[in-house]
Amino acid sequence: MTGKQPPPSQPKPDERIRDRNEAKILKSAVELFSRKGFDGTRISEIAKASELPKANVYYYFATKEAIYTRLIERVLVGWDIALEHIHPDREPRDALSAYIDAKLTYSKNHASESRFFANEMLRGGQFMSRKQIRHMKEITRERVRVIEGWIEDGKMVRIDPHHFLIMLWATTQFYADFSNVAAVSLEKKRLGAAEFEAARATLVEIVLNNCLPTK
Amino acid sequence: MTGKQPPPSQPKPDERIRDRNEAKILKSAVELFSRKGFDGTRISEIAKASELPKANVYYYFATKEAIYTRLIERVLVGWDIALEHIHPDREPRDALSAYIDAKLTYSKNHASESRFFANEMLRGGQFMSRKQIRHMKEITRERVRVIEGWIEDGKMVRIDPHHFLIMLWATTQFYADFSNVAAVSLEKKRLGAAEFEAARATLVEIVLNNCLPTK
DNA sequence: GTCTATATGTTGATAGAC
DNA sequence: GTCTATCAACATATAGAC
């Protein structure tokens, strides 16, 4: 017996290596794909950024597409989280400002994932499965219903819920995907915490002060 | 003398051919670059889409980068036009709804140019010259001053002009760059005139009803 | 101005020694 | 699980006949 206390389910050493190397590859890949897209990214670049030989990347992922689709799956999971805030049991003011906050925090902390998804959408979303598209449709439809419910209850002004959601989505997204445009506009070298806070405050003001009946 | 009336400055036949073929190449290129970015687009694809042999593309453009930078120049020219509506002599209501209208019309009619620029921004804007970046800064700063003027004159509520502009920019942009996401959200196959009109109406309502003092 | 042939390098992916 | 060597396909770009 040594002083080490093995955790309940100790992974095999091989699995630890696999997990670590896959994580390194995916991290490098999401950054590269987010900048240059699927066709523009070279496996050799991913290998170099991962500090692994190219053949090693192929040991973990059979094809370039396998890396890409794994990343789509991961990004879509992170996607739903912010939208969960828009929930029928919450008051619109709480829910909408929580959503804006969560989305901007995601934009700040997961900028390359966000850009990756933007790149895939620019391409037309051809790598997404029908199941994934169906899922996006469903979660959107649910949130539209929540907003419609708020409108019917007189808690929100009468507004097109689809375009309202698009407005929130587009604006929060912008600070991640086009951060350099935002930086040029704000006359900063890069976006920092202060800029994200000002974005949040402005957006909350515009959205909440207009779309809620009482102020 | 034939029946034909030559126009005052008849271009040489060679120039007509050059203009026509360059236009064909640029048209194909902007669509391909907008989907797959600089590194992801192959000259052979541009040639095929232009219905020209690959070597013929090289006859008109020395390098792939030459095509790309020509397109940046063209897109940036189209860029300023919508912003011109935000002019100090106009009333905010007029100016802002004209801007939204112009931007959405551009998104509808020049979607591939818009996506092309989005792709370049995702990449970090590395192909833009310092002069072009400076120009973007200047026209943004001018519009910020216009909005600040409106606020000082009591014609608009006190709001951060930078983030306000970003909100308008991001939202109108979205319908071109991520039209398939918008289509999924709106449960349509593709965006048509009705969707752009609803987008315009919703955005004008949110922006104008909140940011103008009297209603 | 058109276009075939080609030079020269790089790509995604694999074989197989360690 | 690591990594060198390698393949066929394909890339950008050019030479030069027409």
Side-chain angles (χ1 to χ4, degrees):
Chain A
M1 292 284 172
T2 73
K4 281 189 182 173
Q5 307 239 347
S9 74
Q10 174 100 38
K12 284 177 237 163
D14 287 8
E15 286 175 354
R16 282 223 316 279
I17 290 173
R18 171 166 281 273
D19 288 347
R20 187 163 43 91
N21 282 341
E22 283 188 1
K24 270 163 63 172
I25 291 165
L26 290 171
K27 189 180 173 177
S28 304
V30 74
E31 174 64 24
L32 285 160
F33 282 137
S34 83
R35 296 286 184 193
K36 314 207 283 179
F38 180 79
D39 295 294
T41 300
R42 306 285 112 112
I43 296 277
S44 58
E45 293 177 297
I46 295 175
K48 199 176 178 183
S50 311
E51 294 176 301
L52 288 168
K54 194 172 67 166
N56 220 331
V57 174
Y58 277 105
Y59 176 74
Y60 292 106
F61 295 93
T63 61
K64 183 159 82 161
E65 194 171 335
I67 306 176
Y68 196 84
T69 51
R70 269 279 286 278
L71 286 171
I72 288 185
E73 196 63 46
R74 175 198 279 192
V75 169
L76 285 179
V77 168
W79 223 243
D80 300 1
I81 297 173
L83 273 174
E84 307 241 318
H85 289 109
I86 300 181
H87 193 275
D89 295 344
R90 295 183 78 168
E91 287 299 304
R93 176 171 290 271
D94 271 353
L96 291 173
S97 59
Y99 171 74
I100 290 167
D101 205 19
K103 200 77 192 328
L104 281 172
T105 303
Y106 185 89
S107 287
K108 187 162 165 285
N109 297 338
H110 302 267
S112 57
E113 275 95 332
S114 185
R115 273 199 312 268
F116 170 84
F117 190 72
N119 217 314
E120 169 64 8
M121 291 301 105
L122 276 186
R123 218 208 140 95
Q126 291 172 2
F127 281 96
M128 285 182 67
S129 69
R130 277 165 209 209
K131 193 183 157 192
Q132 289 168 329
I133 292 172
R134 200 179 335 119
H135 175 74
M136 278 188 74
K137 268 198 184 123
E138 276 164 16
I139 59 167
T140 307
R141 201 181 296 144
E142 283 170 25
R143 306 310 144 178
V144 165
R145 279 204 215 97
V146 172
I147 291 172
E148 284 172 344
W150 285 337
I151 292 174
E152 280 166 29
D153 294 348
K155 291 178 174 175
M156 264 186 78
V157 298
R158 204 158 280 281
I159 206 160
D160 186 316
H162 300 95
H163 292 286
F164 178 73
L165 279 176
I166 286 173
M167 202 202 80
L168 291 185
W169 207 82
T171 309
T172 51
Q173 198 69 11
F174 192 89
Y175 292 91
D177 301 349
F178 307 110
S179 64
N180 54 335
V181 179
V184 162
S185 167
L186 296 165
E187 311 208 34
K188 301 280 174 190
K189 282 235 168 185
R190 285 188 301 147
L191 300 187
E195 284 73 39
F196 277 91
E197 170 51 27
R200 193 200 57 74
T202 306
L203 191 52
V204 163
E205 194 181 330
I206 292 176
V207 169
L208 296 192
N209 288 0
N210 184 52
C211 303
L212 308 185
T214 58
K215 185 185 166 180
Chain B
M1 293 277 178
T2 72
K4 282 187 182 174
Q5 308 238 345
S9 74
Q10 174 101 37
K12 283 177 239 166
D14 286 8
E15 285 175 354
R16 281 220 320 277
I17 291 173
R18 170 167 281 271
D19 288 348
R20 185 163 45 89
N21 283 341
E22 282 189 0
K24 269 163 65 173
I25 291 165
L26 290 171
K27 187 180 174 178
S28 304
V30 74
E31 174 65 24
L32 285 160
F33 282 138
S34 83
R35 296 285 184 194
K36 313 207 281 179
F38 180 79
D39 295 295
T41 301
R42 307 282 111 113
I43 295 277
S44 59
E45 294 176 297
I46 295 174
K48 198 175 178 184
S50 311
E51 295 175 301
L52 288 168
K54 195 173 65 167
N56 219 330
V57 173
Y58 278 104
Y59 175 73
Y60 292 106
F61 295 92
T63 62
K64 184 159 82 161
E65 195 171 333
I67 305 177
Y68 197 84
T69 50
R70 268 280 287 276
L71 286 171
I72 288 185
E73 197 62 47
R74 175 199 280 191
V75 169
L76 285 179
V77 168
W79 222 245
D80 300 1
I81 296 172
L83 273 174
E84 307 241 319
H85 288 109
I86 300 182
H87 193 275
D89 295 345
R90 294 183 78 168
E91 287 299 305
R93 176 170 291 271
D94 270 353
L96 292 172
S97 59
Y99 171 74
I100 291 168
D101 204 21
K103 200 76 190 329
L104 282 172
T105 303
Y106 185 88
S107 287
K108 187 161 165 285
N109 297 338
H110 302 267
S112 57
E113 274 96 331
S114 185
R115 274 199 312 267
F116 170 83
F117 190 71
N119 217 315
E120 170 64 9
M121 291 301 106
L122 276 186
R123 218 206 139 98
Q126 291 174 2
F127 280 98
M128 284 181 67
S129 69
R130 275 163 211 211
K131 192 182 158 193
Q132 289 168 329
I133 292 173
R134 197 176 340 116
H135 176 73
M136 279 187 74
K137 268 199 185 119
E138 276 164 16
I139 58 167
T140 307
R141 200 181 297 145
E142 282 170 24
R143 306 310 144 180
V144 165
R145 278 205 214 97
V146 172
I147 291 171
E148 283 171 346
W150 285 339
I151 292 173
E152 280 165 28
D153 294 349
K155 290 179 175 174
M156 264 185 78
V157 299
R158 205 159 278 281
I159 205 159
D160 186 317
H162 301 95
H163 292 285
F164 177 74
L165 278 176
I166 286 173
M167 202 202 80
L168 291 186
W169 207 82
T171 308
T172 50
Q173 199 68 12
F174 192 90
Y175 292 92
D177 300 348
F178 308 109
S179 64
N180 54 333
V181 179
V184 162
S185 167
L186 297 165
E187 312 208 32
K188 302 279 172 191
K189 284 236 168 186
R190 285 188 299 147
L191 301 186
E195 285 74 39
F196 277 91
E197 170 51 26
R200 193 199 58 74
T202 305
L203 190 53
V204 163
E205 194 180 331
I206 293 176
V207 169
L208 295 192
N209 288 0
N210 184 52
C211 302
L212 307 185
T214 58
K215 184 189 166 176

